[in-house]
Amino acid sequence: MAIIINKNGYEHALSIINKGLEVDHSATNWEEVRPSRDEEVRFLNTHSLDEYGLWFLGLKTDADQKDISKFVYPFGDFNIVHKSALIAAEKNATQFGHEEIKAVAQKLLNTINQHKK
C-alpha cells in the first residue's frame, strides 16, 4: 500500500494555520478530541467526500476513490487543526516509513510554532 501526500489536505491545514484560524495547541490530547465514527458520518451527511478529505494529510493510492478509507493521517476534527493530531501523524509516519507525510506534518508543526511566537 502506497501513501502519498494529500496536497489539498496539506494546503487546507496550511491555510487555516497561516490565517490564524482555529488551531488547538495542546500537544497530547488527540485521542480525546479526534472525531468519533459517528461524528465522521454526521460530517459526511452534510459535506462531500472531497470536503471530508481536506482534513487528512495522506491518501492511500490503492483504495477505492469513492471510499473514505483512502484518507489517512487526520490533522483535525472538521473544525480545528489539532497540534496533537499532527504530532501523532508525524510519529505514525515515522513508524511506517511514510517520509513524505512525516515531512509535511513537521512543516505544519513548524508553521504552528512560528505563528505562536
Side-chain angles (χ1 to χ4, degrees):
M1 162 185 54
I3 304 286
I4 61 171
I5 295 171
N6 176 8
K7 291 178 184 171
N8 291 336
Y10 171 75
E11 290 171 2
H12 181 64
L14 190 60
S15 174
I16 290 170
I17 296 164
N18 283 332
K19 289 179 181 175
L21 300 175
E22 297 292 326
V23 176
D24 178 356
H25 291 275
S26 174
T28 60
N29 68 344
W30 181 237
E31 289 306 316
E32 298 166 18
V33 298
R34 74 178 302 146
S36 68
R37 185 72 183 126
D38 287 344
E39 290 168 324
E40 288 180 342
V41 169
R42 278 195 296 276
F43 186 85
L44 284 164
N45 283 337
T46 57
H47 297 80
S48 70
L49 186 62
D50 288 339
E51 290 170 307
Y52 175 85
L54 290 175
W55 292 93
F56 295 82
L57 293 179
L59 291 170
K60 290 182 189 176
T61 59
D62 61 347
D64 182 337
Q65 293 304 298
K66 294 182 182 183
D67 189 345
I68 65 170
S69 70
K70 73 179 181 177
F71 298 110
V72 292
Y73 294 107
F75 62 80
D77 63 5
F78 309 120
N79 292 301
I80 298 172
V81 172
H82 287 271
K83 184 175 182 179
S84 59
L86 291 169
I87 291 168
E90 179 186 21
K91 178 182 172 186
N92 291 332
T94 300
Q95 180 180 357
F96 295 109
H98 299 140
E99 294 300 318
E100 290 182 329
I101 302 299
K102 176 184 173 183
V104 295
Q106 288 172 334
K107 285 180 187 178
L108 291 169
L109 287 165
N110 289 338
T111 304
I112 287 172
N113 291 334
Q114 289 171 355
H115 282 277
K116 195 174 177 184
K117 292 178 182 178

